[in-house]
Amino acid sequence: MSLIGIMVAAILPAQAGDDPLLRPIAPDFASRWLTPKTPERLFGSTYFVGFGGLSVALIDTKDGLILIDGAVPQAVPMIEENIRQLGFSLRDIKLILSTEPHYDHAGGLAALARDTGATVVASPEGAKVLEAGWSGPDDPQFSWLPPFPAVRGVRVVQDGDTITLGDTTVTAVATPGHTAGSMSWAWQSCEGKRCANVVFASSLNPVAPDDYRFSDSAHQEIVEAYGRSFARMRAVPCDILITAHPDQPAWDAKLARLGEQPETNPFIDPKACAAYAEASAQRLADRLKQEGGAGEEQGGK
């Protein structure tokens, strides 16, 4: 077992093996994402309670907490402990926002909803997959994806809808492509009179098995969805970007700098969302070129 695997096993409670909502999914593969991280306040009311390779965020609205994403089932005890370390109660979590209905981001949602009593919120397409517990063949990664614990009573929101809790309003930003139900979330977080626009972005990575062809005419709608999502990510007000899978070296460096010099917050970067969109668009262009299809993203820059 890897060092990370040993650390994860040591943190998981003995009951985990008996709990159907905490049964590990792809534990060897997922362990690369679960590097433990000390929970941190990123800015104002926004906290990071996730891992080296999987983001989970927490917003303190002063009238309850909003959690974003749930990682894999085996990570739930660590997420919950991170929240407690910050001094919060799990029962104060009122809403859990889902970025995408894949096991690595949604696998822990059922357990977290049960343990907190919170309502899970997702896009219409995302909600269907969450409630089924598995993705359909329209997902580019379908052949790779294991099922995950189904989520009950998902609240559906549309692109552009807002959710207000306490002093915080979160806007749903549809960013399909990676999955049809991918949703990013945007809100404002303040420290005194200084406020920042925060975006928790769903994955925009055009990853799929080698035999899947984005350039196939049957998948034109998915390529076009990516193009629209790149445009949305370029345009969304964005001072702080949290990506579903953080860039581990850069993220770790920013966390270290935040601890050393909190007065010059390294996470504030007004160009971050646009840069994220550009890098993702280039990955899609490279994939299409590799397949022998069109080398430019659909939808334009």
Side-chain angles (χ1 to χ4, degrees):
M1 181 182 289
S2 67
L3 176 59
I4 293 173
I6 293 171
M7 295 173 71
V8 170
I11 296 173
L12 290 175
Q15 72 182 38
D18 302 323
D19 188 335
L21 299 187
L22 295 181
R23 289 171 185 161
I25 298 178
D28 292 337
F29 187 83
S31 67
R32 71 189 67 188
W33 295 322
L34 298 180
T35 307
K37 294 294 175 187
T38 302
E40 297 279 358
R41 183 200 300 266
L42 296 183
F43 185 86
S45 58
T46 299
Y47 298 81
F48 185 82
V49 293
F51 309 92
L54 276 177
S55 293
V56 183
L58 187 72
I59 309 170
D60 178 11
T61 75
K62 308 307 180 187
D63 194 24
L65 305 172
I66 299 174
L67 188 68
I68 305 180
D69 269 359
V72 289
Q74 59 267 37
V76 167
M78 291 182 284
I79 294 171
E80 294 180 347
E81 179 57 27
N82 283 345
I83 293 168
R84 293 189 192 98
Q85 283 187 36
L86 291 170
F88 296 118
S89 168
L90 295 180
R91 300 303 296 186
D92 287 336
I93 298 175
K94 306 303 181 184
L95 299 169
I96 305 174
L97 311 184
S98 172
T99 59
E100 66 184 61
H102 280 172
Y103 77 96
D104 49 338
H105 306 284
L109 294 180
L112 286 163
R114 176 197 63 191
D115 295 350
T116 64
T119 298
V120 175
V121 183
S123 69
E125 296 83 359
K128 292 176 185 177
V129 178
L130 293 180
E131 292 180 337
W134 59 280
S135 297
D138 58 332
D139 191 309
Q141 299 180 58
F142 174 69
S143 65
W144 282 348
L145 298 172
F148 55 85
V151 184
R152 297 179 180 178
V154 179
R155 174 181 168 185
V156 173
V157 296
Q158 304 287 341
D159 179 33
D161 282 355
T162 58
I163 303 167
T164 298
L165 183 66
D167 61 4
T168 302
T169 296
V170 181
T171 301
V173 182
T175 44
H178 187 76
T179 78
S182 291
M183 187 75 84
S184 298
W185 305 95
W187 65 97
Q188 194 172 76
S189 191
C190 299
E191 290 185 353
K193 295 182 179 181
R194 185 188 187 193
C195 295
N197 295 306
V198 186
V199 176
F200 191 119
S202 69
S203 178
L204 296 178
N205 189 9
V207 62
D210 290 343
D211 60 356
Y212 183 93
R213 294 181 61 81
F214 286 96
S215 54
D216 191 308
S217 60
H219 302 147
Q220 179 71 17
E221 185 175 342
I222 293 175
V223 175
E224 292 176 350
Y226 267 117
R228 292 191 298 271
S229 295
F230 300 151
R232 292 296 302 280
M233 193 56 55
R234 295 184 189 107
V236 67
C238 176
D239 299 305
I240 295 175
L241 171 65
I242 304 170
T243 55
H245 287 282
D247 180 340
Q248 290 188 358
W251 190 262
D252 290 348
K254 288 181 179 180
L255 284 174
R257 287 166 52 199
L258 181 65
E260 296 168 358
Q261 298 176 312
E263 66 280 1
T264 56
N265 193 307
F267 288 97
I268 295 179
D269 178 3
K271 298 180 180 179
C273 284
Y276 181 54
E278 293 303 324
S280 301
Q282 187 59 55
R283 289 192 189 98
L284 179 58
D286 291 344
R287 174 74 185 231
L288 290 169
K289 183 177 181 180
Q290 177 186 351
E291 292 176 2
E296 298 180 358
E297 74 172 79
Q298 299 296 314
K301 291 188 178 181

